[in-house]
């Protein structure tokens, strides 16, 4: 008993067996054996832990991710739901007339984003989109920075915005009359259309006129739609850069000091430049070399048509009520917008050709009889002597001054009558309101008096409630 208790293994036989086993193993192996055993235990533990985690991940506790992440396409099939305008100030500082016009776009298209680029943030926009981290066109950025003519920058900026982001552009004085969902007729598939434009001037009979000719056939660029990164927009931007740099070279001045007249603006950056670029792009996209797109394709259109991915709307769509080009009026079913022209004062800085005696032929507004008379008078004027020319100029100047004075008086008289009518209307409204208030006060006084008399009669009446007759 004492021997058993003194043995650390508790049994002489077990101790002997252990001693024999230990004597068979090398000493170094016996020393590292515990480490091997520990390593095996740790491995088994980690293996079981991995199996446990795998079973958890196979359940719905963890989300599953696709092997490939879908990246948005740079150019999508539909038009971006974005409305763009440009102006001197941001919408919070708009005058009432501009604010009311701008609201039409927002109210009729609540699902669209609306943004105004201003004289304060336009340069940042161009730098951001066309700088090194954008389209990497430092030439465009520097060109835009160098140009100082406001109308040139306004034209150029709309093309830059439409190329960078696309959407709808409209001048600040253009009122929206119908939702943008109506701008593309239902019979067309948006996937087949890259640009939506409308006819502005359709007077091809005057295409050979020395002044009116270049402006006689054009698309409207005060309102149009574009998908982003359309080649025609970049074509237009680069053509403007080439043209204006050429003008600066001819005038031997920096871009900032270039002088441009009305017709140069129209043909260089405005509707004529816009039209020529689009028609050239249409022809580039036609596979058949025997086919050619020219203005005859769009003359006297009775309904819209798609040509080379461009939806061309009739003149009523964006340019109704002009008084020419068979543009109808804004009550026409096809009319989509209304141009108020109150922001179109740039011609004062880039004047039209004005004959010293007969003024501007544009005042005829494309009326055949008026234009023909202007041409005839100008031709006759050139054949006169200098003294006769001066006499006619003096006579016409007198007529013009008398006409201006008459129009000024008529305008003042009209304004005076309008003010008097407004004052009379206001006075009548105030009188009606006063009478209404007096009538209401009289009725209230009568009602209060009747209620008081009723209460007094009630107080004087014998108290008969719950009284029993005396025996």
């Amino acid at each position: 008993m004492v021997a058993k208790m003194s043995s650390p293994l508790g049994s002489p036989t077990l101790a002997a067996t252990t001693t024999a086993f230990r004597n068979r193993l090398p000493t170094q192996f016996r020393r590292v054996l515990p480490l091997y055993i520990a390593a095996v235990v740790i491995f088994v533990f980690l293996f079981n832990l991995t199996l446990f985690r795998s079973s958890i991940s196979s359940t719905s506790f963890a989300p599953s991710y696709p092997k490939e992440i879908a990246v948005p396409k740079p150019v999508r099939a539909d038009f971006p739901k974005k409305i763009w305008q440009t102006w001197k100030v941001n919408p919070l500082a708009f005058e009432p007339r501009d604010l009311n016009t701008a609201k039409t776009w927002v109210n009729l298209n609540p699902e669209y984003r609306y943004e105004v680029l201003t004289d304060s943030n336009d340069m940042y926009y161009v730098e951001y989109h066309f700088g090194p981290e954008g389209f990497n066109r430092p030439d465009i950025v520097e060109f835009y920075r160098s140009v100082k003519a406001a109308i040139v920058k306004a034209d150029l900026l709309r093309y830059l915005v439409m190329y960078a982001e696309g959407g709808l552009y409209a001048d600040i004085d253009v009122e929206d009359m119908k939702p943008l969902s109506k701008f593309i007729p239902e019979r067309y598939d948006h996937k087949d259309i890259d640009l939506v434009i409308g006819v502005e001037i359709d007077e091809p009979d005057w295409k050979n006129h020395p002044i009116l000719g270049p402006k006689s056939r054009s698309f409207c660029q005060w309102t149009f739609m574009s998908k982003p990164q359309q080649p025609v927009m970049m074509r237009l931007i680069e053509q403007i850069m080439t043209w204006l740099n050429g003008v600066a070279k001819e005038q031997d001045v920096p871009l900032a000091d270039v002088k441009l007249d009305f017709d140069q603006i129209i043909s260089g950056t405005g509707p004529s430049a816009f039209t020529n670029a689009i028609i050239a792009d249409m022809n580039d996209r036609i596979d058949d070399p025997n086919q050619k797109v020219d203005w005859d394709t769009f003359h006297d259109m009775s309904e819209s048509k798609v040509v080379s991915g461009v939806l061309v709307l009739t003149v009523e769509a964006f340019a109704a009520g002009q008084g020419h080009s068979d543009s109808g009026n804004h009550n026409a079913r096809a009319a989509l917008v209304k141009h108020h022209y109150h922001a179109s004062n740039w011609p004062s800085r880039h004047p039209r050709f004005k004959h010293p005696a007969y003024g501007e032929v544009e005042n005829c507004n494309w009326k055949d009889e008026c234009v023909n008379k202007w041409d005839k008078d100008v031709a006759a004027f050139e054949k006169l002597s200098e003294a006769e020319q001066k006499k006619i100029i003096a006579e016409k100047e007198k007529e013009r001054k008398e006409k201006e004075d008459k129009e000024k008086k008529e305008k003042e008289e009209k304004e005076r009558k309008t003010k008097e009518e407004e004052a009379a209307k206001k006075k009548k409204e105030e009188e009606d309101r006063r009478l209404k208030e007096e009538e209401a006060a009289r009725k209230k006084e009568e009602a209060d008096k009747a209620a008081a008399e009723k209460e007094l009669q009630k107080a004087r009446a014998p108290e008969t409630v719950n009284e029993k007759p005396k025996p």
Side-chain angles (χ1 to χ4, degrees):
M1 186 65 178
V2 175
K4 289 181 181 179
M5 293 298 296
S6 63
S7 172
L9 297 175
S11 170
T13 304
L14 180 59
T17 303
T18 303
T19 301
F21 177 75
R22 186 171 59 247
N23 291 336
R24 290 191 183 95
L25 295 175
T27 303
Q28 292 181 350
F29 184 78
R30 291 199 306 270
R31 290 177 179 174
V32 298
L33 183 60
L35 295 177
Y36 281 112
I37 295 172
V40 170
V41 172
I42 293 173
F43 174 77
V44 172
F45 174 76
L46 293 176
F47 180 74
N48 289 331
L49 182 62
T50 302
L51 290 177
F52 178 71
R53 287 180 175 174
S54 298
S55 65
I56 292 178
S57 63
S58 64
T59 66
S60 60
F61 295 119
S64 59
Y65 298 96
K67 293 181 179 180
E68 296 182 1
I69 304 298
V71 179
K73 296 179 180 180
V75 179
R76 303 190 181 189
D78 208 347
F79 287 85
K81 290 185 179 295
K82 186 69 178 287
I83 298 169
W84 294 92
Q85 293 192 298
T86 62
W87 194 229
K88 303 172 186 177
V89 296
N90 68 71
L92 297 179
F94 276 2
E95 295 180 24
R97 66 176 187 181
D98 298 326
L99 183 61
N100 292 335
T101 304
K103 282 181 177 179
T104 62
W105 293 102
V106 177
N107 293 339
L108 287 173
N109 307 282
E111 72 278 19
Y112 277 69
R113 293 169 57 206
Y114 174 80
E115 184 170 347
V116 177
L117 291 177
T118 71
D119 291 350
S120 300
N121 60 29
D122 60 335
M123 192 67 241
Y124 171 77
Y125 181 90
V126 175
E127 289 174 340
Y128 180 85
H129 287 282
F130 293 89
E133 296 183 4
F135 296 111
N136 195 23
R137 289 295 302 268
D139 55 332
I140 292 178
V141 175
E142 186 56 34
F143 180 83
Y144 188 84
R145 182 182 289 109
S146 300
V147 173
K148 300 304 178 186
I151 184 59
V152 174
K153 299 194 81 160
D155 283 340
L156 185 58
L157 185 57
R158 72 191 66 185
Y159 307 141
L160 292 170
V161 170
M162 289 295 99
Y163 182 81
E165 297 191 60
L168 176 133
Y169 170 83
D171 278 359
I172 200 67
D173 53 2
V174 175
E175 173 189 349
D176 187 18
M177 297 174 60
K178 294 180 181 178
L180 288 178
S181 59
K182 302 291 186 181
F183 281 34
I184 300 178
E186 294 181 357
R187 65 180 180 274
Y188 297 118
D189 189 340
H190 290 209
K191 296 179 181 179
D192 299 330
I193 300 172
D194 298 322
L195 205 67
V196 180
I197 60 176
V199 173
E200 178 185 356
I201 300 178
D202 184 23
E203 296 287 348
D205 290 346
W206 298 105
K207 63 183 179 181
N208 296 320
H209 192 274
I211 298 175
L212 298 177
K215 299 170 284 193
S216 62
R217 300 156 294 170
S218 65
F219 297 127
C220 169
Q221 46 99 257
W222 62 58
T223 303
F224 67 98
M225 295 172 64
S226 176
K227 291 178 181 177
Q229 283 105 70
Q230 291 303 306
V232 65
M233 288 293 107
M234 183 54 66
R235 176 199 290 261
L236 187 51
I237 293 164
E238 292 176 342
Q239 285 181 356
I240 291 172
M241 293 169 62
T242 301
W243 166 75
L244 197 57
N245 279 317
V247 174
K249 186 176 181 180
E250 289 178 2
Q251 296 182 4
D252 194 23
V253 295
L255 280 173
D257 298 330
V258 167
K259 303 297 182 184
L260 301 169
D261 61 29
F262 179 89
D263 291 331
Q264 287 176 303
I265 295 293
I266 294 295
S267 61
T269 67
S272 295
F274 182 72
T275 302
N276 293 336
I278 290 175
I279 291 180
D281 186 72
M282 287 175 173
N283 282 303
D284 287 348
R285 296 169 68 173
I286 293 178
D287 295 330
D288 187 353
N290 296 321
Q291 290 185 353
K292 181 182 178 182
V293 178
D294 56 23
W295 191 257
D296 290 341
T297 310
F298 313 106
H299 174 52
D300 200 21
M301 287 188 355
S302 58
E303 61 179 3
S304 61
K305 62 177 65 175
V306 175
V307 180
S308 298
V310 180
L311 172 60
V312 183
L313 303 176
T314 59
V315 65
E316 296 96 338
F318 296 153
Q322 297 180 100
H324 61 76
S325 305
D326 196 21
S327 58
N329 57 58
H330 294 99
N331 294 323
R333 184 177 181 181
L336 300 174
V337 304
K338 183 176 183 179
H339 194 186
H340 293 277
Y341 298 98
H342 60 246
S344 303
N345 61 351
W346 63 268
S348 62
R349 296 185 294 275
H350 306 275
R352 297 179 176 94
F353 171 75
K354 184 176 182 179
H355 191 272
Y358 301 108
E360 301 169 355
V361 67
E362 286 87 352
N363 291 334
C364 290
N365 200 29
W366 304 95
K367 299 292 188 296
D368 292 356
E369 183 179 353
C370 180
V371 175
N372 286 327
K373 185 177 185 306
W374 189 92
D375 289 343
K376 183 178 179 180
D377 289 342
V378 169
F381 182 87
E382 299 299 325
K383 298 178 181 179
L384 299 176
S385 65
E386 184 176 349
E388 290 174 321
Q389 289 181 349
K390 288 182 179 179
K391 181 180 178 181
I392 290 179
I393 291 174
E395 290 175 354
K396 294 297 180 181
E397 185 63 30
K398 181 180 178 181
E399 292 176 5
R400 191 156 36 242
K401 189 175 185 307
E402 290 176 350
K403 182 180 179 181
E404 289 175 355
D405 290 343
K406 181 181 178 181
E407 290 176 349
K408 183 180 179 181
K409 289 181 180 179
E410 290 176 350
K411 182 179 179 182
E412 291 175 350
E413 180 66 16
K414 184 177 179 180
E415 290 176 350
R416 183 186 66 79
K417 288 183 177 180
T418 301
K419 289 181 179 179
E420 289 178 352
E421 290 174 357
E422 290 177 350
K425 182 180 179 181
K426 185 177 180 181
K427 183 177 180 181
K428 186 177 184 304
E429 289 175 350
E430 291 177 351
E431 180 67 15
D432 291 343
R433 184 170 57 253
R434 184 184 65 79
L435 294 174
K436 188 175 180 180
E437 290 174 353
E438 290 179 354
E439 179 67 13
R442 183 184 64 78
K443 289 182 177 180
K444 185 176 183 302
E445 182 179 356
E446 291 177 354
D448 292 344
K449 184 177 180 181
E453 290 178 354
K454 186 176 181 180
E455 289 295 328
L456 183 60
Q457 291 176 0
K458 184 177 179 182
R460 292 177 178 176
E463 297 181 0
T464 60
V465 180
N466 296 327
E467 287 187 0
K468 294 181 180 180
K470 294 182 182 181

